Amino acid sequence: MNIRLVATIVALLCVVCGPAKAAGPSGCDLGGTQIRSMPDPVSGRSYDVEITLPSDYQVNPGKRFAVLYYADGGHLAASASCLSKEPRRQEALRLVKRLHREGKLADEPILVGLSYAKGEGFAASRARDYTPVADKPGYGGAGAFQAYLAKTVIPAIESSYRTAPRRRLFWGHSYGGLLGARILLTQADLFQSYILGSPSFWFADHTILAMEAGYARTNHDLKANVLIYVGGDEIRRYDPDRRGDTRDMVADVRTFETQLKSRGFPGLTIRSLVVPGKNHRSTIPPGFSWAITVALGGSKTTKQ
């Protein structure tokens, strides 16, 4: 393929990825997913936010929709090709539409992907934004990112789209699950349901368990629906790919769940799923499918 032909294709793709009409600020429409730039006015960092509207959004102008905010939404980029960079996570999101078609979801939610800071590598951005304490340089910015989410992103989404504010959901995997747990224990009413996938509860010597204990000492209730999944293979074992032992994330999930249940919070619903034979990555599709079905289950959903 010669250079002139490549340039022509890129130009045509950029025309296709023109401003999204429903997005307000200009963005890239990636086959139904709009990208909006939403800078953080406090830190000065710039983030992209991905919005995917339900298939019936336009045909039901009087309807309000549940909203699923998900961490690690930085895999669709406003590039010349507008291509997805991580098929696995996008596969999990596409399950929402399939589950809805099958009647297993009462609603197809608006999907809002939370991206990484522009100009930074994803590892550095998520390490800072998704971790609750600074156990080493470059970490511990979850509180600031949570404030950005609560004061900038959510208000922007709710002012631009027909959302149901009492039906907000959060989904985070790995560090994203740790971020979700931090929000749960500091600002639970920000979301109605929390989907925590293979959460990194081991971080900073299990500091999230200490945060939970601190919350329980000063609060008598925790109003939230919490759904946690983890792969059955996510136990302490030697991993040749990592050249070392993995964390026992199954045990961590059980400890966190047991600790919360022991408090007797009347407004808390919490359940977990260990997906047999799945690891930290392959547990995403089945784990997420289970959790979103429980959270937004339809008439055909079997009880979990």
Side-chain angles (χ1 to χ4, degrees), residues 36-180:
R36 294 180 56 172
S37 178
M38 292 189 188
D40 180 0
V42 177
S43 70
R45 300 186 188 97
S46 184
Y47 295 87
D48 282 338
V49 176
E50 305 165 5
I51 304 103
T52 306
L53 299 179
S55 54
D56 61 337
Y57 186 87
Q58 302 299 340
V59 298
N60 285 305
K63 183 178 179 180
R64 292 191 169 272
F65 295 82
V67 186
L68 173 68
Y69 293 82
Y70 63 96
D72 288 306
H75 305 293
L76 289 174
S79 63
S81 61
C82 294
L83 295 177
S84 170
K85 292 185 177 180
E86 188 173 311
R88 185 185 304 276
R89 195 174 297 276
Q90 294 306 311
E91 175 188 8
L93 292 175
R94 284 196 296 271
L95 286 171
V96 167
K97 294 186 180 294
R98 181 176 67 79
L99 291 169
H100 183 249
R101 287 196 304 269
E102 294 174 353
K104 295 178 181 177
L105 295 184
D107 253 337
E108 184 183 341
I110 296 171
L111 304 177
V112 179
L114 307 172
S115 189
Y116 310 121
K118 293 180 182 179
E120 296 181 358
F122 83 92
S125 183
R126 73 194 300 269
R128 178 194 59 239
D129 292 342
Y130 294 177
T131 55
V133 295
D135 69 329
K136 50 188 171 182
Y139 289 74
F145 188 78
Q146 178 179 326
Y148 160 69
L149 176 59
K151 297 178 181 180
T152 299
V153 178
I154 291 176
I157 295 298
E158 294 190 348
S159 66
S160 301
Y161 303 95
R162 299 193 310 276
T163 68
R166 294 185 180 180
R167 301 179 65 212
R168 291 193 210 120
L169 300 87
F170 178 88
W171 171 40
H173 186 86
S174 195
Y175 270 179
L178 181 64
L179 169 65

Side-chain angles (χ1 to χ4, degrees), residues 201-223:
F201 290 156
W202 52 265
F203 179 79
D205 197 23
H206 297 86
T207 191
I208 200 68
L209 298 180
M211 290 182 66
E212 189 282 331
Y215 178 90
R217 283 194 294 270
T218 56
N219 293 273
H220 301 291
D221 200 3
L222 182 60
K223 297 180 180 179

